[in-house]
Amino acid sequence: MGWIRSWLLAFLIGLPLQAATLQLVTLQYPPYVYEELGEIRGVAFELVKEAFRRGGYGLEVRLLPWGRALQLVENGEADGIFTLFKTAERERFADFSEEVLLEQSISLFVRHDAPIEFNGELDTLLPFRFGVVRNVSYGERFDGWLSRHPEIARDLSHTGEANLNKLVRGRFDILVSNSGGAHFILERLGLVTRVRALRPEIQRIPSYLAFSKRRHLESVRRVFDKALKSMHADGTYQRIVAAYGM
């Protein structure tokens, strides 16, 4: 591929690593990262772009199905991935940033007229069918619960938008989602009055930028961490997050 050849050429002729263009992968995941009118936008994308601008790196981002994105990082075919929850399996092939990119809240959503309530105990929801995005982690608590109950009915999608449309059409009973993402998509699809969030939330989880261990980008990770710290210090981080209503 062209970007691999460019990276190798820069390496072989001794150009500074900062001259390279980093190849990152992610999921269509509004408001964190999404494509609109041919441009990639989103709060996580803006944070990552600014951090690497400060570090002197070019950036190319591809939006892919999450399973494919993870595979490219594991195989060393992409430099990094965001926003990623940290799990023992992922730490096997991914070098996580020390700085948290964003903290995310995982919640459950149902149709507005559904007679479903939640008291915080997941086992009370065993009879219901869940909608999840394929290959996405929803944090240690929910992931562990699903793994302990393989009998739970689940409907798989590739994007949050598809999942919310399925919920409204009655394909399943309960959607599990990042709360900020679900509310953003509901606004965009005009479905706010048709879906409600169950309380309490399941878990608040830090998410990260992570690099492929096969690419040996430890120095790039350190540059990213330093840049993100500086963005917190000068208020840039807060301004970007506030611009997305978060």
Side-chain angles (χ1 to χ4, degrees), residues 95-163:
D95 182 23
F96 283 77
S97 60
E98 293 184 2
E99 291 293 306
V100 173
L101 182 58
L102 286 161
E103 187 176 63
Q104 301 184 32
S105 170
I106 302 301
S107 297
L108 302 174
F109 295 82
V110 298
R111 290 181 297 281
H112 191 269
D113 58 355
I116 300 174
E117 299 299 335
F118 181 49
N119 64 5
E121 294 296 328
L122 288 169
D123 281 352
T124 63
L125 304 176
L126 283 170
F128 298 105
R129 183 178 182 86
F130 285 79
V132 297
V133 176
R134 192 183 303 272
N135 298 120
V136 164
S137 169
Y138 294 100
E140 182 179 354
R141 186 185 178 204
F142 190 82
D143 291 353
W145 182 69
L146 277 185
S147 68
R148 292 191 299 274
H149 294 283
E151 77 279 7
I152 293 173
R154 59 200 82 181
D155 188 290
L156 303 178
S157 296
H158 285 297
T159 67
E161 293 96 328
N163 246 7

Side-chain angles (χ1 to χ4, degrees), residues 25-29 33 62-66 82 133 136 158-159:
V25 290
T26 185
L27 172 73
Q28 173 85 0
Y29 191 31
V33 57
R62 286 186 289 167
L63 275 59
L64 300 170
W66 195 234
F82 67 101
V133 176
V136 164
H158 285 297
T159 67

Side-chain angles (χ1 to χ4, degrees), residues 167-225:
L167 174 66
V168 170
R169 296 199 306 269
R171 288 277 297 273
F172 52 80
D173 305 299
I174 302 175
L175 168 75
V176 57
S177 176
N178 169 284
S179 183
H183 286 296
F184 187 86
I185 295 169
L186 287 170
E187 289 278 358
R188 293 182 74 195
L189 297 180
L191 298 175
V192 172
T193 61
R194 301 183 64 182
V195 175
R196 63 183 174 90
L198 298 179
R199 294 287 182 264
E201 65 185 20
I202 296 175
Q203 188 177 2
R204 295 193 70 83
I205 309 169
S207 63
Y208 301 85
L209 174 74
F211 297 91
S212 171
K213 286 187 174 180
R214 287 180 176 252
R215 303 302 291 267
H216 304 291
L217 296 171
E218 294 84 356
S219 62
V220 182
R221 175 181 54 77
R222 289 192 291 270
V223 168
F224 175 79
D225 283 327

Side-chain angles (χ1 to χ4, degrees), residues 82-102:
F82 67 101
T83 60
L84 194 64
F85 291 166
K86 189 181 293 186
T87 68
E89 169 60 20
R90 291 171 176 179
E91 285 186 288
R92 180 181 61 79
F93 62 84
D95 182 23
F96 283 77
S97 60
E98 293 184 2
E99 291 293 306
V100 173
L101 182 58
L102 286 161

